[in-house]
Amino acid sequence: DVKVTQSSRYLVKRTGEKVFLECVQDMDHENMFWYRQDPGLGLRLIYFSYDVKMKEKGDIPEGYSVSREKKERFSLILESASTNQTSMYLCASSIPGTGGRVQYFGPGTRLLVL
Amino acid sequence: DAKTTQPTSMDCAEGRAANLPCNHSTISGNEYVYWYRQIHSQGPQYIIHGLKNNETNEMASLIITEDRKSSTLILPHATLRDTAVYYCIVRVLNSNSGYALNFGKGTSLLVTP
């Protein structure tokens, strides 16, 4: 089975802090994604990566950056956390050949920024 | 953008079949229908996808009408653990990525004892 893990299930940070969210997948998938999920807004794509050191902006990249130094690991960085970044963050990876549409998700990190 | 219509909520008795409908009248000929679900406080889980033919896997069956304007996800013997929000997705977002999945609001399925 595909396994996507995220470093924390719950995280509390203060405004202005730099926050690192880590995601690891064990199935050698090329594509990895970071979403945030907010009530009433569904899932919104922040960034995705289709290979090591490659990244593409999603729909809401402002205030975020990413890092993909190894194929299995995709990190989301909040350069200076703000209260409007309080959200559920979901990482996913996808099977090659499906155009990214069959995605396997991690359990999510619920981030609270005070 | 994706144009899917799903009921907001449904109930199903444990052990019975759960039939979740989805309307997607604007689907184009080469677009697949995907189903995901999200159990409370967990990440979404891929269930099944199809293009024209009916599909079945260990989790569910997908019935797509001949005109492809609607589909039904069938959980043949629902259990309490199937209580979740079920999302029907037929198109990726027209975003920079081209890979995003538009989950919409989905159907909240409650399986009762």
Side-chain angles (χ1 to χ4, degrees), chain A residues 9 37 48 59 99 101 103, chain B residues 34 36 38 41 95 97 99:
Chain A
R9 290 301 306 272
Q37 184 174 29
F48 81 100
D59 297 306
R101 290 183 286 275
Q103 298 186 9
Chain B
Y34 295 81
Y36 283 74
Q38 188 170 21
S41 295
S95 65
S97 67
Y99 285 89

Side-chain angles (χ1 to χ4, degrees), chain B residues 2 8-10 14 20 36 43 47 65-66 76 92 95-96 98 103-104:
Chain B
T8 302
S9 63
M10 294 181 66
E14 190 177 18
L20 293 98
Y36 283 74
I47 301 173
T65 58
E66 194 169 341
V92 298
S95 65
N96 294 333
F103 278 74

Side-chain angles (χ1 to χ4, degrees), chain B residues 5-72:
Chain B
T5 304
Q6 297 178 255
T8 302
S9 63
M10 294 181 66
D11 292 346
C12 178
E14 190 177 18
R16 304 297 295 269
N19 298 290
L20 293 98
C22 179
N23 287 321
H24 33 79
S25 58
T26 59
I27 192 171
S28 58
N30 60 350
E31 289 178 331
Y32 284 74
V33 179
Y34 295 81
W35 283 83
Y36 283 74
R37 73 180 183 184
Q38 188 170 21
I39 295 169
H40 182 61
S41 295
Q42 296 184 21
Q45 177 188 24
Y46 164 77
I47 301 173
I48 199 167
H49 74 284
L51 181 63
K52 294 181 182 178
N53 300 320
N54 298 337
E55 302 287 344
T56 296
N57 63 20
E58 65 279 2
M59 290 183 69
S61 295
L62 175 60
I63 309 297
I64 302 174
T65 58
E66 194 169 341
D67 63 9
R68 301 204 338 115
K69 292 185 177 180
S70 65
S71 60
T72 301

Side-chain angles (χ1 to χ4, degrees), chain A residues 84-109:
Chain A
N84 63 12
Q85 292 178 310
T86 290
S87 186
M88 168 75 101
Y89 289 88
L90 292 157
C91 174
S93 69
S94 72
I95 297 175
T98 64
R101 290 183 286 275
V102 179
Q103 298 186 9
Y104 292 86
F105 285 80
T109 296

Side-chain angles (χ1 to χ4, degrees), chain A residues 26-56:
Chain A
D26 65 357
M27 285 302 292
D28 203 37
H29 289 170
E30 283 82 10
N31 298 330
M32 296 187 73
F33 308 80
W34 274 107
Y35 293 87
R36 63 178 282 177
Q37 184 174 29
D38 301 289
L41 296 176
L43 272 75
R44 293 180 291 167
L45 182 67
I46 305 172
Y47 268 96
F48 81 100
S49 169
Y50 52 88
D51 205 348
V52 174
K53 297 190 184 296
M54 306 304 288
K55 61 185 179 183
E56 292 281 346

